[in-house]
Amino acid sequence: MSTTLIPDIEILNRQDIRKLSLDQLKAWMTEHGEKPFRAKQVYEWVWKLTATSFAEMNNISLPLREKLERSFTINSVEVNTSQLSSDYTIKSTFRLYDGNIVEGVLIPHPKRMTACVSSQVGCSLTCSFCATGKMDRIRNLNADEIYDQVVRIKEQTENNYNRPLTNIVYMGMGEPLLNYANVMKSIERITAPDGLNMAARRITVSTAGIAKMIKKMADDGIKANLALSLHAANDTKRNEIMPINETNSLEALKEALVYYHQKTGRKVTYEYILLSHFNDNLEDAQELLQFSKIIPCKVNIIEYNPIEGGQFKKSSDDRLEPFMRYLVDRGVQVNVRRSRGKDIDAACGQLAIKDKKGTEA
Ligand SMILES: C[S@@+](CC[C@H](N)C(=O)[O-])C[C@H]1O[C@@H](n2cnc3c(N)ncnc32)[C@H](O)[C@@H]1O
Ligand code: SF4
């Protein structure tokens, strides 16, 4: 224990070092009588080399490491629990520095290894088919907390399957476009050569549909892919299952999508959970066909994962088949996404911490 008050105060005020940009770290080095190039070395340690302590930084002098230790923390995310599903999906819970827990999933596929990561603790959007929507929204994740989930899942695929991580989807807990700055910073770090150096085209941000933020993604030149959770191409039905549609109607989304496509030239993916006798009639397929004509797109038909207390059932193959056929016959690019990791509640929309508050159950 320290004998003076000052070091204790210093320690209480320690800041997460990964909240600083490289320029801010350079300025800190100068202020503390260090050469600015040290900033680059430390920055590389905390991002690219994913150091979890200053002690690991063996090309940094001991006095500087001690100075860093007094001023900063490295709030790295730890794996709390991991469960392996019969289809080799791995669901993990991650413990954040403040005790909150989020979930992430490694989804193996013969052609790709995908990390599904959370962007918020809980979610404020209360979609009626989604387990996360039943939780309160506790807080946004910091960019480094999103980044660390990717790092931990990358370790899982390399260590357990001897295969590299190839794709990242922001389809875990939370609405990424309501935590815009941190999500975009995490993408910048994941794609940076002094970060994980992964290709932006391998990253997909999935949104429930925040029109103005879709436009902002285009304005900011974000290179990651965009997926829109559509689930109904009719306002009455969409309002019923996704309250966000009351303020971000299909008309507003259409306008944002056109803007997005004009600026980026990119295709968008529409996610469409097939809910038995709710959105799986031919009339629904006709509405989806009209919506699919707005800009170049592909449609992912998603198998519904039942959630506790949920009112929906997944559509049978007898209903899925004609729905899909209707779209395919009219030139829509359609993929059917079967649920993964069902036996351990690791599939999309089943990610929810059981006590609904984001702390450990
Ligand atoms: C959990 S959300 C997170 C990202 C973002 N908030 C969104 O809604 O797109 C990721 C995807 O899971 C889907 N999803 C939610 N609940 C589901 C369920 N019970 N079964 C299948 N997919 C579900 C969502 O619609 C969305 O397409
Ligand atoms: S589907 Fe997405 S936006 Fe809706 S409640 Fe779930 S996490 Fe939130």
Side-chain angles (χ1 to χ4, degrees), residues 142-311:
N142 298 321
D144 53 278
E145 293 173 322
I146 300 171
Y147 184 92
D148 279 359
Q149 292 173 68
V150 176
V151 170
R152 300 283 95 87
I153 296 174
K154 187 173 182 296
E155 289 163 358
Q156 289 173 343
T157 176
E158 289 165 357
N159 298 341
N160 296 303
Y161 300 122
N162 198 19
R163 288 180 55 193
L165 186 68
T166 58
N167 294 59
I168 299 165
V169 293
Y170 286 70
M171 292 190 188
M173 297 162 69
E175 169 48 48
L177 296 193
L178 291 182
N179 183 16
Y180 186 87
N182 285 306
V183 164
M184 298 311 153
K185 183 175 174 194
S186 69
I187 292 174
E188 184 279 318
R189 291 285 77 222
I190 290 165
T191 54
D194 63 354
L196 297 180
N197 203 14
M198 290 181 68
R201 65 173 192 288
R202 302 294 199 149
I203 301 176
T204 300
V205 175
S206 173
T207 178
I210 318 290
K212 75 171 185 212
M213 302 317 277
I214 291 175
K215 288 184 178 173
K216 186 163 168 51
M217 268 182 86
D219 288 338
D220 292 347
I222 304 300
K223 301 258 180 335
N225 303 301
L226 177 67
L228 171 67
S229 294
L230 189 61
H231 311 321
N234 152 326
D235 277 315
T236 311
K237 284 195 181 176
R238 201 163 188 268
N239 284 343
E240 215 178 298
I241 54 173
M242 301 181 75
I244 186 66
N245 195 67
E246 284 159 23
T247 46
N248 289 259
S249 65
L250 289 170
E251 206 43 50
L253 291 175
K254 261 185 211 171
E255 194 215 316
L257 291 166
V258 168
Y259 184 89
Y260 178 87
H261 179 67
Q262 277 170 355
K263 276 218 143 176
T264 65
R266 254 183 242 120
K267 264 191 189 178
V268 169
T269 301
Y270 300 134
E271 292 157 280
Y272 195 98
I273 305 173
L274 222 48
L275 303 167
S276 185
H277 294 91
F278 178 76
N279 65 357
D280 62 353
N281 295 315
L282 273 190
E283 205 178 290
D284 299 303
Q286 280 159 7
E287 286 167 346
L288 180 53
L289 173 68
Q290 290 315 312
F291 200 88
S292 73
K293 289 181 180 160
I294 303 167
I295 58 165
C297 69
K298 58 182 180 183
V299 172
N300 281 350
I301 294 184
I302 301 173
E303 187 180 28
Y304 172 61
N305 304 310
I307 59 164
E308 221 178 282
Q311 79 219 69

Side-chain angles (χ1 to χ4, degrees), residues 2-38:
S2 63
T3 48
T4 67
L5 201 53
I6 293 168
D8 283 345
I9 289 172
E10 271 182 12
I11 284 174
L12 277 178
N13 288 335
R14 284 188 306 168
Q15 196 186 358
D16 179 3
I17 194 162
R18 286 183 294 175
K19 288 240 174 76
L20 268 60
S21 66
L22 181 56
D23 284 344
Q24 287 169 323
L25 201 51
K26 277 184 190 156
W28 186 91
M29 291 289 174
T30 312
E31 259 171 49
H32 289 78
E34 298 285 342
K35 297 264 189 289
F37 78 88
R38 292 286 177 207

Side-chain angles (χ1 to χ4, degrees), residues 91 101-105 116-139 170-176 304-308 345-358:
K91 176 172 91 164
I101 302 279
V102 290
E103 293 179 325
V105 187
C116 171
V117 295
S118 296
S119 55
Q120 297 182 312
V121 185
C123 186
S124 57
L125 296 188
T126 65
C127 302
S128 61
F129 47 80
C130 175
T132 309
K134 307 261 178 266
M135 293 175 68
D136 301 331
R137 174 200 165 280
I138 314 287
R139 72 168 172 85
Y170 286 70
M171 292 190 188
M173 297 162 69
E175 169 48 48
Y304 172 61
N305 304 310
I307 59 164
E308 221 178 282
D345 283 3
C348 288
Q350 287 184 318
L351 299 184
I353 304 295
K354 301 286 186 209
D355 77 350
K356 315 291 180 213
K357 289 217 162 37

